[in-house]
Amino acid sequence: MDKSNLLLIIIFLFLAGTTSWLSNRGANDVSTQSRRAQHLPDFYMENVVSTEMDEQGMPARQLLAQKIVHYPDDGSSDYLKPRMVVLEQEKPPWKFRASAAHQSGDGKTLLLQGKVNIDRESGHGVEPMHVITRDLKINTETEFAETDQPILMLSLKDKTEGVGMQAWMKSPMKIKLLSKVRGHYDVEN
């Protein structure tokens, strides 16, 4: 074998080895990047009860869940069987239940997913109320809730149905049904 053929073989082997090394390095970089881009949990908690206080140090809201899973890539959390209780001074609390929920990373938006039940017991000057809807989005700072799904509201002998709702849960409480509103109300004589 002459020197020129040997030199070509060495150059070829060097290029093949370098190409293989660069190819494997690029695959590892892509694998590392894809792992970082995935939405993977960093921790979870079970049987959680969290109480948030207002400016005066009084309980304002409780969030309970069978399980909470936290995701570090965006700070969001998923909840299994969440229950939220919105507390008001001298009035019965609003109680929200759903099978699942998703909370944004900043904690300001809570999306109750699937069937949502909202209940409030009777109290001084307040009638009991039961609300059934789906996919309810709640702004946890302002206690504003909304959905574009069908809604059913029951209170004593009254029944109201509609599609879409906006609700301001803080006093003065206000509920606005957005379309296809129908109601049946018993009026005392």
Side-chain angles (χ1 to χ4, degrees):
M1 194 183 313
D2 67 6
K3 286 184 169 183
S4 64
N5 284 341
L6 183 59
L7 183 62
L8 284 174
I9 291 173
I10 291 172
I11 290 172
F12 176 73
L13 288 174
F14 174 76
L15 288 174
T18 304
T19 302
S20 175
W21 178 75
L22 287 173
S23 174
N24 286 338
R25 182 176 163 218
N28 288 340
D29 287 349
V30 170
S31 175
T32 301
Q33 289 172 355
S34 67
R35 266 188 264 121
R36 286 184 195 143
Q38 290 177 350
H39 191 63
L40 298 173
D42 59 346
F43 69 87
Y44 71 93
M45 297 180 284
E46 294 180 336
N47 302 316
V48 178
V49 178
S50 170
T51 302
E52 187 177 321
M53 306 299 199
D54 64 15
E55 297 82 22
Q56 290 77 34
M58 299 300 294
R61 179 177 40 252
Q62 279 189 323
L63 187 58
L64 304 93
Q66 184 175 345
K67 185 174 184 177
I68 299 176
V69 180
H70 180 264
Y71 299 92
D73 61 324
D74 62 0
S76 67
S77 297
D78 287 333
Y79 296 77
L80 178 63
K81 296 187 179 177
R83 296 180 314 267
M84 186 172 82
V85 180
V86 177
L87 304 163
E88 278 191 84
Q89 296 294 324
E90 302 176 21
K91 291 190 180 178
W94 286 97
K95 298 177 181 178
F96 297 76
R97 286 175 315 189
S99 58
H102 178 80
Q103 187 167 33
S104 62
D106 62 8
K108 294 178 183 177
T109 303
L110 181 67
L111 177 61
L112 297 177
Q113 299 165 320
K115 183 179 177 183
V116 178
N117 287 288
I118 308 167
D119 292 294
R120 181 184 67 187
E121 296 175 3
S122 62
H124 180 69
V126 177
E127 292 184 0
M129 185 176 288
H130 178 68
V131 180
I132 302 169
T133 190
R134 299 186 59 79
D135 303 329
L136 185 69
K137 181 179 168 183
I138 302 171
N139 180 314
T140 58
E141 287 187 324
T142 62
E143 304 295 352
F144 175 77
E146 63 183 330
T147 184
D148 59 0
Q149 298 296 307
I151 183 162
L152 172 64
M153 297 171 48
L154 303 168
S155 182
L156 298 178
K157 297 178 184 178
D158 301 336
K159 175 181 172 182
T160 307
E161 299 176 88
V163 176
M165 174 191 76
Q166 294 177 333
W168 293 262
M169 305 310 289
K170 287 187 175 180
S171 290
M173 189 205 71
K174 181 173 115 177
I175 296 176
K176 178 180 177 183
L177 300 181
L178 303 177
S179 67
K180 299 181 182 177
V181 179
R182 295 179 301 166
H184 174 81
Y185 306 98
D186 270 354
V187 180
E188 293 181 17
N189 292 328

